[in-house]
Amino acid sequence: CMHKNLTRVDLNFWMCPRLTGKGVEDLARQMPSKLKTLKLNFKLSGVGQGGVDALASFPESLTSLFLNFSYNSEIRSLASICQSIRALAQSSLKLLDLDISGVEKIGDKSMMLLAEALEISRIKNLFLSFRSCRALSDVGVQAIVNALPSSVTLLKMDLGDCEISDASVDALSSQLQHMQHLGVIQVNLHGCKEVTETSISRFVGKLPWTLRGAKLDLSDTCLPKDIQRICRRLTTMRSWMPSKPQSQIKNPTSTNFVQLEPEKVGLELQSVDLFLHRGVVQNVSPPAVKVTGKKTFVAGDSMPFH
């Protein structure tokens, strides 16, 4: 029995094949009413569809929700989870981390339900992992992307090894224009063979200048190796950007810039890569920059996918 005043619960049931939906149902009934953060890891467990359905509601006070159902082959639908998220979406929920990697029976219908919950939310930090969800198509991904709330400051999407194409990338490119508060974006397209250079160049060209960090994982795709390298960091992706509008160019005498003549040693700071692994970002501030000799050091480096 959980203490009624608990505000954080972190339970790891990774590789617990004897855990069933009945166990999850008993757990759900004991959730403290004052809970703020809930982390449940059911990766490679035996919860099945019954475990998902048992989580039909969460405490109204919840602000951060981490759910990992990855590689549970018996899960067919996220309807109950989506209902729970929708109930929290307009009020308390600020962070959502949902991992259904390798759940091959989850398809576009569940994505439509999740999109309905995201569309009305005020989430700031969003982590979605659909890696190797073979039943997922462009239709489902576009529904999710078009529902991304403008309140998001940190976005991480793992679409690796999904059966998607340029249509999904173009949808994300268009939605970025409506995400005024976005500071960091990381998208994994590993193994997405139908994604081409055409949509990637459009995506890079539409990255907001307000971004502090961005990364595209294009490994094991049909794109040339040089483009794969360019998309690993925001600083190199900026070379694909159109000219920055004059109204957005800061005063060159500002202390926020390191301005040197082209023939002199050093670099002009134009962008910063900043990645937080499953962290919480509300107000994104530029990291510290130190120029020493011929090298420019930026606090915070890219982090790989896990």
Side-chain angles (χ1 to χ4, degrees):
C1 183
M2 298 186 196
H3 194 282
K4 64 178 181 179
N5 290 326
L6 279 177
T7 59
R8 180 185 177 90
V9 170
D10 186 345
L11 299 174
N12 188 352
F13 300 105
W14 177 60
M15 291 190 71
C16 292
R18 294 186 179 182
L19 179 66
T20 65
K22 178 62 168 59
V24 179
E25 186 177 343
D26 293 339
L27 175 66
R29 283 199 297 263
Q30 297 182 41
M31 291 293 175
S33 61
K34 298 180 181 180
L35 200 61
K36 296 291 186 182
T37 300
L38 176 61
K39 299 181 71 172
L40 297 175
N41 184 359
F42 298 114
K43 182 178 181 179
L44 288 168
S45 66
V47 294
Q49 187 62 46
V52 174
D53 293 341
L55 297 172
S57 65
F58 294 110
E60 295 180 359
S61 57
L62 206 62
T63 59
S64 300
L65 178 61
F66 301 76
L67 294 173
N68 188 339
F69 290 103
S70 59
Y71 302 100
N72 279 272
S73 59
E74 297 306 313
I75 296 177
R76 305 177 305 279
S77 171
L78 296 178
S80 298
I81 294 294
C82 294
Q83 176 184 335
S84 305
I85 294 172
R86 184 182 178 90
L88 296 170
Q90 287 186 298
S91 54
S92 60
L93 194 63
K94 302 303 179 187
L95 183 152
L96 175 63
D97 185 332
L98 178 62
D99 189 343
I100 56 169
S101 300
V103 184
E104 297 189 352
K105 295 180 182 179
I106 293 293
D108 295 335
K109 186 175 181 180
S110 287
M111 295 300 104
M112 301 287 189
L113 295 173
L114 181 58
E116 290 177 3
L118 292 176
E119 191 171 25
I120 62 171
S121 76
R122 298 173 184 173
I123 292 172
K124 291 183 176 293
N125 301 273
L126 185 59
F127 305 86
L128 299 173
S129 183
F130 307 138
R131 187 183 184 91
S132 299
C133 289
R134 302 294 185 180
L136 185 61
S137 73
D138 284 320
V139 174
V141 174
Q142 288 179 65
I144 292 292
V145 166
N146 292 335
L148 292 174
S150 60
S151 57
V152 170
T153 60
L154 173 59
L155 174 63
K156 181 175 179 180
M157 293 187 70
D158 188 347
L159 300 170
D161 296 312
C162 288
E163 303 293 332
I164 59 173
S165 68
D166 286 344
S168 292
V169 180
D170 285 337
L172 183 55
S173 301
S174 298
Q175 187 65 14
L176 286 177
Q177 310 306 305
H178 306 292
M179 302 178 72
Q180 304 93 334
H181 303 290
L182 188 64
V184 178
I185 182 172
Q186 188 171 358
V187 181
N188 183 7
L189 296 171
H190 169 91
C192 295
K193 306 293 188 182
E194 300 301 315
V195 172
T196 69
E197 182 178 342
T198 302
S199 66
I200 294 300
S201 61
R202 282 195 293 260
F203 175 85
V204 171
K206 291 186 178 181
L207 287 175
W209 281 95
T210 54
L211 284 179
R212 302 299 188 214
K215 178 179 179 180
L216 276 176
D217 185 343
L218 300 173
S219 57
D220 197 26
T221 64
C222 296
L223 278 81
K225 295 294 183 183
D226 59 336
I227 295 201
Q228 293 183 29
R229 287 192 293 270
I230 286 172
C231 293
R232 291 173 187 166
R233 297 176 63 87
L234 178 60
T235 49
T236 49
M237 281 193 281
R238 289 300 191 197
S239 63
W240 277 14
M241 292 283 186
S243 299
K244 191 173 181 182
Q246 189 68 30
S247 62
Q248 296 185 25
I249 299 178
K250 293 187 178 182
N251 186 341
T253 62
S254 169
T255 57
N256 291 331
F257 279 75
V258 178
Q259 186 177 22
L260 300 171
E261 296 297 329
E263 67 274 16
K264 293 183 180 180
V265 175
L267 297 171
E268 180 179 355
L269 178 64
Q270 292 183 332
S271 60
V272 174
D273 277 358
L274 174 64
F275 286 98
L276 301 178
H277 180 61
R278 297 213 190 302
V280 179
V281 176
Q282 293 185 352
N283 297 309
V284 182
S285 300
V289 177
K290 181 180 180 182
V291 178
T292 306
K294 296 184 179 181
K295 296 181 179 180
T296 301
F297 299 91
V298 181
D301 200 1
S302 302
M303 296 186 66
F305 286 95
H306 293 286

